[in-house]
Amino acid sequence: MTNKEIIDAIFRLFELLTSWPVIFLAAVLIFYREIKDAIPGLIKRLRKAPGGWEFDELQEVKEELSELVNKREIESDKESKELKVDPTLITLSHTSEPADAKYWRVKVTLEAPDGFVQQIEKVEFERHQTFKNKIKIVHAPPFVDSFKCWGAFTIKASIYLRDGQILRRQRFLTLENNDD
């Protein structure tokens, strides 16, 4: 390749790099009205999950499913002859509050009668699979897991008793200013 061809190729490349933003800007200006009208439809389509579910509807279904599984675990615990406390009194509660514009500060607490708490060896909290530290183990009361997150999910807790029993509870974590 000669020097003239190299210089000519560099000029063509420079021309190409400087012209595409101008062409893009012209296209946006020309089609501005159509783009502006299409944005709400695109946002609506993005909010839909596969199968046509709205994400808000999916969260309600997840919350109901979490409650059903929790009730099933409680029913199973009621059948245990070794458990000396009403299983309905062993629950997870949570609070959430905005930490900043993107994240929420969440605190999950194991609620149980004082006498029962003394029987607990440890509680293993299982967070969403996207967490870097997915499992948090707490060995002494109060049995609390605090963290920051950006989305709602179901947290699970395995409650290991000193006599070898394992109880399981879960709770769908809504992200809103609450304390239930």
Side-chain angles (χ1 to χ4, degrees):
M1 226 175 176
T2 67
N3 284 343
K4 183 180 183 301
E5 291 173 332
I6 292 172
I7 292 172
D8 194 35
I10 291 172
F11 277 126
R12 281 192 212 136
L13 180 62
F14 181 76
E15 188 178 56
L16 178 69
L17 291 175
T18 58
S19 65
W20 78 263
V22 174
I23 293 169
F24 179 74
L25 181 60
V28 167
L29 291 174
I30 291 169
F31 297 108
Y32 175 74
R33 185 174 298 141
E34 289 82 8
I35 291 172
K36 187 175 134 188
D37 293 339
I39 288 175
L42 288 171
I43 290 172
K44 186 175 180 182
R45 288 184 69 182
L46 287 173
R47 288 189 51 85
K48 285 202 180 262
W53 288 83
E54 292 284 342
F55 282 112
D56 294 338
E57 292 171 359
L58 281 176
Q59 282 196 344
E60 289 173 12
V61 169
K62 282 179 159 182
E63 188 170 2
E64 290 173 17
L65 184 60
S66 179
E67 289 175 18
L68 286 172
V69 169
N70 215 30
K71 286 179 183 175
R72 169 72 176 90
E73 289 291 341
I74 289 170
E75 290 302 316
S76 174
D77 294 341
K78 283 181 180 179
E79 296 171 6
S80 171
K81 304 276 189 248
E82 298 149 6
L83 195 59
K84 305 289 188 244
V85 68
D86 180 1
T88 61
L89 299 177
I90 306 165
T91 62
L92 294 178
S93 66
H94 84 284
T95 59
S96 61
E97 63 183 17
D100 54 39
K102 183 177 178 185
Y103 291 98
W104 289 78
R105 189 171 292 109
V106 177
K107 180 179 173 182
V108 180
T109 306
L110 175 68
E111 305 285 347
D114 289 336
F116 178 76
V117 169
Q118 304 311 317
Q119 299 174 35
I120 299 174
E121 180 181 328
K122 67 180 177 180
V123 176
E124 189 175 282
F125 292 97
E126 183 181 338
R127 302 169 180 168
H128 192 268
Q129 68 255 19
T130 57
F131 275 74
K132 182 178 180 181
N133 298 317
K134 182 181 168 189
I135 304 291
K136 178 171 182 188
I137 300 172
V138 182
H139 291 278
F143 297 101
V144 174
D145 186 10
S146 298
F147 52 88
K148 282 184 178 179
C149 64
W150 59 265
F153 66 94
T154 298
I155 190 161
K156 298 175 183 176
S158 297
I159 306 156
Y160 293 84
L161 304 182
R162 297 189 192 285
D163 66 4
Q165 291 183 79
I166 302 172
L167 308 178
R168 290 184 171 70
R169 296 293 183 269
Q170 60 180 286
R171 181 175 179 90
F172 185 76
L173 302 178
T174 55
L175 300 179
E176 53 196 36
N177 287 325
N178 65 14
D179 53 332
D180 66 325

